[in-house]
Amino acid sequence: MMRDGHIHTPFCPHGSTDSFEEYIEKAIESGFKEISFTEHAPLPDGFIDPTPDKDSGMDKVYLKNYLHQLKTLKEHYQSKIIINIGLEVDYIIGFEQQTRQFLNEFGPFLDDAILSVHFLQTADEYVCIDFSDEVYLQFANKVGGIAPMYELYYETVKKSILADLGPFKPKRIGHPTLIHKFQLAHSKQIDDSLQIKEILILMKQHHYELDFNSAGLSKPFCKEPYPPLPFVQFAKELKIPIIFGSDAHTAQHLHQHYEVLQQKIIF
């Protein structure tokens, strides 16, 4: 069954104003039978968004309206397509308790959710690692190079898998090689295959799904999905549930690269 499990919405502060209906109608026309809207959840209470416009997550004041609109659309389109009400939740070191409290409050209203790492912590600050190539390279210099930055990212993803975020913790790990987003912006050749496999094995042991995220193919400094195809094959061998996600922030990008990836790996 054709499914897209990672879709953003007009509630995304750094996305587009494309309506829910535009996404839904395109999904139906494209033959998809199930979609999940997974807007960036409000960031944890007390966390200061390090991005310039502080637009990494939905403002909490809009969350109930987001849930209400999706509930209405889910019922309206139920004869044509399965619509899952979801969120993409950030795992941020040091804010586990706040995240658990948020999930306990809003988790009962969700059908689906993704747990992702976008923010890395050093001793004195948090950085949104996928914000720009400039931020990415500056952070690498701060932590001692590209390889240490990769290590920090993968260790943070491991912590996200092991964290106790309560009974409503998301069961799908988002784009677990997002650290590759700007890999062509530096000249280093980093062999992180062992680290990626360790992540996937840990996901298997703790019964997580994989967000097979096509967005990286469209990023000029990445040019590959998250994770790359050999590791999706490894995940298949481990029998990890693989959920395609276009990570679309516009209706135009909905289901981006689905057919190409489906031809290479059946998921």
Side-chain angles (χ1 to χ4, degrees):
M1 181 177 71
M2 294 173 68
R3 175 183 177 189
D4 192 334
H6 192 154
I7 304 170
H8 292 277
T9 76
F11 283 80
C12 180
H14 59 263
S16 74
T17 58
D18 292 350
S19 69
F20 282 119
E21 289 84 355
E22 288 179 80
Y23 288 96
I24 294 166
E25 294 291 345
K26 181 174 179 179
I28 293 169
E29 292 170 7
S30 300
F32 280 73
K33 301 301 182 185
E34 182 175 355
I35 57 174
S36 293
F37 285 108
T38 53
E39 194 46 77
H40 292 285
L43 297 175
D45 291 341
F47 179 75
I48 299 174
D49 187 348
T51 64
D53 294 329
K54 303 192 182 309
D55 61 354
S56 297
M58 186 195 316
D59 191 315
K60 196 172 183 178
V61 300
Y62 301 124
L63 183 54
K64 289 185 178 179
N65 187 25
Y66 169 82
L67 296 171
H68 173 73
Q69 287 192 35
L70 279 177
K71 185 175 185 292
T72 301
L73 290 166
K74 177 186 177 80
E75 294 170 356
H76 179 75
Y77 284 98
Q78 63 183 343
S79 64
K80 297 181 179 179
I81 192 169
I82 297 169
I83 297 175
N84 296 313
I85 302 171
L87 289 170
E88 181 177 14
V89 178
D90 272 285
Y91 173 75
I92 304 174
I93 289 176
F95 288 85
E96 291 86 353
Q97 181 178 350
Q98 295 92 324
T99 303
R100 187 185 309 114
Q101 291 172 344
F102 172 84
L103 288 168
N104 284 341
E105 181 178 359
F106 292 101
F109 303 103
L110 303 179
D111 305 311
D112 196 9
I114 296 170
L115 187 65
S116 298
V117 171
H118 297 96
F119 299 97
L120 297 183
Q121 182 191 32
T122 59
D124 60 344
E125 68 173 340
Y126 292 90
V127 170
C128 182
I129 201 61
D130 67 320
F131 180 75
S132 70
D133 57 323
E134 181 180 10
V135 168
Y136 178 94
L137 294 173
Q138 287 176 349
F139 186 72
N141 287 334
K142 184 164 188 175
V143 299
I146 300 296
M149 179 175 66
Y150 274 44
E151 181 66 27
L152 178 59
Y153 172 80
Y154 290 123
E155 286 303 312
T156 306
V157 174
K158 288 179 182 177
K159 289 179 180 179
S160 77
I161 295 168
L162 297 173
D164 177 9
L165 300 181
F168 298 102
K169 182 181 180 182
K171 291 300 182 184
R172 184 152 71 259
I173 301 300
H175 42 57
T177 59
L178 184 64
I179 199 67
H180 288 182
K181 182 174 179 179
F182 300 110
Q183 63 182 346
L184 301 179
H186 61 78
S187 58
K188 302 292 184 183
Q189 295 296 318
I190 306 294
D191 182 3
D192 55 359
S193 57
L194 181 59
Q195 293 156 303
I196 297 171
K197 287 183 175 180
E198 288 176 349
I199 293 288
L200 293 170
I201 290 168
L202 197 62
M203 287 171 58
K204 172 65 177 178
Q205 291 171 343
H206 293 271
H207 312 292
Y208 285 92
E209 302 170 342
L210 172 64
D211 171 40
F212 181 24
N213 191 304
S214 65
L217 283 165
S218 296
K219 305 301 181 185
F221 289 119
C222 185
K223 298 297 185 183
E224 67 182 21
Y226 314 117
L229 292 174
F231 301 102
V232 180
Q233 183 60 44
F234 183 72
K236 280 190 68 175
E237 293 167 3
L238 291 175
K239 294 183 169 53
I240 293 173
I242 297 168
I243 312 299
F244 171 81
S246 60
D247 206 347
H249 286 68
T250 67
Q252 179 183 354
H253 292 147
L254 188 66
H255 317 320
Q256 57 186 336
H257 311 296
Y258 177 87
E259 292 183 359
V260 172
L261 294 176
Q262 179 68 29
Q263 290 171 1
K264 293 182 178 180
I265 291 186
I266 299 175
F267 46 86

